[in-house]
């Protein structure tokens, strides 16, 4: 028997028993290992070059990656740093905000966005999100602006852009800074009303991103970057990320030590060349899911805003079953786990209900959309390496659990 016939035979035997083949790769939330295997020689070569150069900190690889990323994004300055949380913190430090100044951000986001606001002794003001895009709702934003508001931090959640044109117009009207949290949406294009396009992260005064391994552009460790078109801001951001020094051993402001190391930069430089292809692969997986779940009475597939080409950092469903929604969603999460399919609840507790913000008296703030989403969201595996067999298996198990 040839290997081909053996494989076909095994597939048909096992498929009737388990609706999947013996050879199906285990389903993972993110499969960075298979992705690496496909670009192994490129990545290994770039890493060896750094090791041979011994320029581990601030080496050529860091400068090359920053230049390549700024060309890709169409922005003047890219300042690499240690992670996405630092990127947000450094961005806020560069704006000379004073303790008690208010910074508006969604409650429905990863904690890093809001945590740095409190860390800098600023006041987080939570704003509702749009129930379709899951991103900051511009009409709600207007309602929470006060005389103390100094900055707005929209988050391009799950890979879809916030309504940036409207947010920028509101910011301009009130003379506020905008820092985009682009950790989940690198490569996403925003289309303005006049048809022009910009990459998310380059629309506000500052953009911040993360290269955490599972991100659309992920390193093999931690990493982050800050973007701006403004020369003066770029100088400040660079200085703050480097102990506040203008030149070596002359420290003008209090800063921090936040560096992207050369090995990570070399890897990211290789992966950046594949980013558009990676984002297309995520979109293709999302389309497979969309089709499989279309018109299901208990599933709402992700809404795609016309202005954003969603890059699907997450593929997040809403499970709808009235007052039983959270229970059904949690049941699905457990059922999938029982079939070795990971799924995640991003995020089970919104910012305004986190203990760390109790002293801001935010738990009583009314956030009906955020609370509604928190009970219903479930993210399915999405990455660049999902194949049709895995997608078929995942969708079949979801539908099996939710059959009415
Ligand atoms: C929306 C958002 N903001 C900020 C961050 C923080 O990035 P990092 O983990 O690199 O610090 C993340 C990462 O998970 C994120 O998803």
């Amino acid at each position: 028997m040839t290997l081909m016939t053996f494989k076909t035979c095994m597939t048909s035997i096992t498929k009737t028993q388990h609706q999947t083949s013996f050879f199906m790769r285990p389903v993972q939330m993110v499969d960075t290992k298979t992705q690496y295997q496909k670009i192994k020689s490129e990545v290994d070569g770039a890493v060896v070059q750094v090791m041979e150069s011994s320029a581990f900190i601030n080496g050529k690889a860091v400068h090359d990656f920053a230049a390549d990323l700024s060309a890709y994004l169409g922005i003047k300055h890219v300042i690499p740093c240690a992670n996405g949380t630092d990127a947000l913190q450094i961005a806020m430090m560069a704006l000379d905000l004073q303790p008690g100044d208010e910074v508006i951000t969604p409650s429905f986001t990863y904690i890093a966005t809001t945590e740095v606001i409190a860390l800098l002794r600023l006041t987080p003001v939570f704003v509702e999100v749009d129930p379709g895009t899951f991103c900051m709702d511009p009409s709600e934003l207007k309602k929470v602006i006060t005389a103390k508001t100094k900055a707005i931090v929209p988050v391009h959640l799950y890979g879809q852009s916030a309504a940036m044109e409207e947010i920028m117009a509101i910011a301009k009207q009130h003379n506020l800074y905008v820092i985009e949290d682009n950790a989940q949406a690198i490569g996403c294009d925003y289309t303005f009303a006049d048809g022009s396009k910009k990459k998310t992260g380059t629309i506000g005064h500052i953009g911040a991103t993360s290269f955490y391994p599972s991100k659309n552009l992920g390193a093999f460790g931690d990493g982050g970057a800050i973007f701006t078109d403004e020369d003066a801001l770029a100088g400040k951001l660079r200085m703050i990320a480097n102990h506040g020094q203008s030149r070596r051993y002359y420290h003008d402001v209090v800063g921090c030590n936040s560096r992207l190391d050369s090995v990570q930069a070399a890897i990211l430089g290789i992966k950046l060349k594949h980013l558009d292809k990676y984002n297309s692969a995520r979109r293709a997986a999302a389309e497979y899911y969309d089709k499989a779940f279309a018109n299901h009475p208990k599933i709402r597939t992700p809404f795609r805003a016309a202005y954003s080409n969603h890059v699907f950092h997450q593929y997040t469903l809403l499970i709808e079953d009235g007052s039983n929604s959270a229970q059904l969603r949690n049941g699905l999460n457990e059922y999938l786990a029982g079939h070795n399919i990971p799924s995640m609840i991003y995020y089970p507790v919104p910012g305004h209900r986190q203990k760390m913000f109790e002293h801001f008296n935010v738990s009583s703030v009314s956030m009906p959309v955020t609370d509604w989403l928190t009970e219903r969201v479930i993210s399915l595996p999405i990455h660049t390496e999902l194949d049709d067999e895995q997608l078929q298996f995942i969708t079949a198990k979801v539908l099996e659990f939710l059959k009415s």
Side-chain angles (χ1 to χ4, degrees):
M1 197 189 288
T2 65
L3 181 63
M4 251 345 252
T5 4
F6 171 72
K7 274 192 172 186
T8 318
C9 180
M10 283 301 290
T11 305
S12 60
I13 292 168
T14 51
K15 262 193 171 164
T16 46
Q17 289 168 352
H18 309 290
Q19 285 102 39
T20 183
S21 89
F22 181 73
F23 296 98
M24 191 179 82
R25 281 180 293 122
V27 177
Q28 298 176 66
M29 214 49 208
V30 180
D31 185 356
T32 49
K33 194 169 177 180
T34 309
Q35 189 189 60
Y36 163 60
Q37 293 301 333
K38 292 183 179 166
I39 53 167
K40 186 176 175 351
S41 59
E42 285 177 87
V43 168
D44 292 2
V47 170
V48 167
Q49 252 183 32
V50 172
M51 292 195 291
E52 283 175 349
S53 76
S54 291
F56 298 119
I57 302 294
N58 215 6
K60 182 175 178 301
V62 178
H63 297 277
D64 287 352
F65 170 62
D68 290 348
L69 187 57
S70 79
Y72 173 83
L73 293 170
I75 191 129
K76 210 163 163 191
H77 305 280
V78 168
I79 297 117
C81 64
N83 55 64
T85 311
D86 276 11
L88 288 161
Q89 180 184 324
I90 294 162
M92 284 179 214
M93 287 170 81
L95 299 180
D96 294 328
L97 307 182
Q98 300 304 312
D101 283 350
E102 294 178 0
V103 178
I104 301 173
T105 193
S107 172
F108 195 64
T109 179
Y110 181 55
I111 198 67
T113 322
T114 46
E115 184 184 33
V116 295
I117 300 172
L119 187 75
L120 295 173
R121 302 203 169 279
L122 307 169
T123 302
V125 173
F126 295 113
V127 64
E128 266 293 25
V129 289
D130 178 281
T133 62
F134 309 150
C135 296
M136 180 180 284
D137 182 338
S139 56
E140 292 294 322
L141 168 63
K142 286 183 200 159
K143 295 182 195 164
V144 293
I145 293 173
T146 71
K148 287 188 180 169
T149 308
K150 291 288 164 5
I152 305 168
V153 186
V155 182
H156 305 309
L157 201 74
Y158 303 152
Q160 176 152 249
S161 178
M164 286 308 294
E165 193 157 10
E166 282 170 88
I167 293 170
M168 292 308 291
I170 296 167
K172 195 170 174 195
Q173 195 186 343
H174 295 269
N175 201 22
L176 304 173
Y177 286 111
V178 175
I179 300 170
E180 295 174 73
D181 184 341
N182 199 38
Q184 301 191 2
I186 197 141
C188 176
D189 291 310
Y190 183 91
T191 307
F192 291 83
D194 66 3
S196 62
K197 286 180 199 278
K198 268 191 169 190
K199 293 279 183 207
T200 54
T202 70
I203 304 165
H205 302 91
I206 307 180
T209 206
S210 161
F211 302 124
Y212 185 81
S214 64
K215 295 291 190 249
N216 291 35
L217 180 60
F220 288 10
D222 276 313
I226 316 157
F227 325 131
T228 188
D229 258 328
E230 296 178 25
D231 295 345
L233 261 180
K236 240 169 160 181
L237 291 162
R238 266 183 225 290
M239 200 158 80
I240 291 167
N242 186 21
H243 296 293
Q245 51 189 341
S246 49
R247 57 195 166 108
R248 208 161 194 191
Y249 304 127
Y250 289 79
H251 305 270
D252 298 352
V253 293
V254 173
C256 56
N257 173 24
S258 189
R259 299 185 283 237
L260 178 71
D261 72 62
S262 303
V263 168
Q264 298 305 338
I267 295 165
L268 287 164
I270 299 296
K271 290 185 76 176
L272 178 60
K273 293 188 221 157
H274 299 275
L275 179 59
D276 286 341
K277 186 180 71 191
Y278 288 163
N279 283 341
S280 298
R282 287 172 177 272
R283 270 186 218 111
E287 270 155 34
Y288 188 108
Y289 281 137
D290 279 357
K291 280 190 194 130
F293 302 137
N295 304 320
H296 192 288
K298 291 186 179 159
I299 303 177
R300 203 179 88 190
T301 55
F303 170 76
R304 302 181 190 207
Y307 55 69
S308 166
N309 71 336
H310 208 314
V311 291
F312 288 100
H313 176 58
Q314 300 299 341
Y315 183 86
T316 305
L317 297 175
L318 292 182
I319 303 301
E320 183 52 69
D321 194 19
S323 58
N324 196 36
S325 299
Q327 211 180 327
L328 189 68
R329 186 272 312 269
N330 296 343
L332 174 62
N333 178 241
E334 279 165 31
Y335 185 77
L336 293 177
H339 289 87
N340 297 320
I341 300 170
S343 62
M344 297 292 290
I345 315 297
Y346 298 123
Y347 298 93
V349 184
H352 72 289
R353 299 202 179 282
Q354 294 287 354
K355 201 169 173 201
M356 69 154 76
F357 298 128
E358 252 173 23
H359 59 291
F360 291 111
N361 292 326
V362 283
S363 62
S364 58
V365 174
S366 170
M367 295 257 153
V369 178
T370 295
D371 288 333
W372 183 83
L373 289 174
T374 303
E375 291 180 350
R376 286 162 176 78
V377 285
I378 183 164
S379 300
L380 298 181
I382 191 143
H383 52 78
T384 57
E385 309 306 319
L386 278 169
D387 60 33
D388 278 4
E389 188 179 16
Q390 292 174 312
L391 287 163
Q392 197 277 330
F393 180 59
I394 300 164
T395 51
K397 290 295 164 202
V398 171
L399 294 171
E400 189 174 285
F401 179 76
L402 291 176
K403 66 178 175 290
S404 14

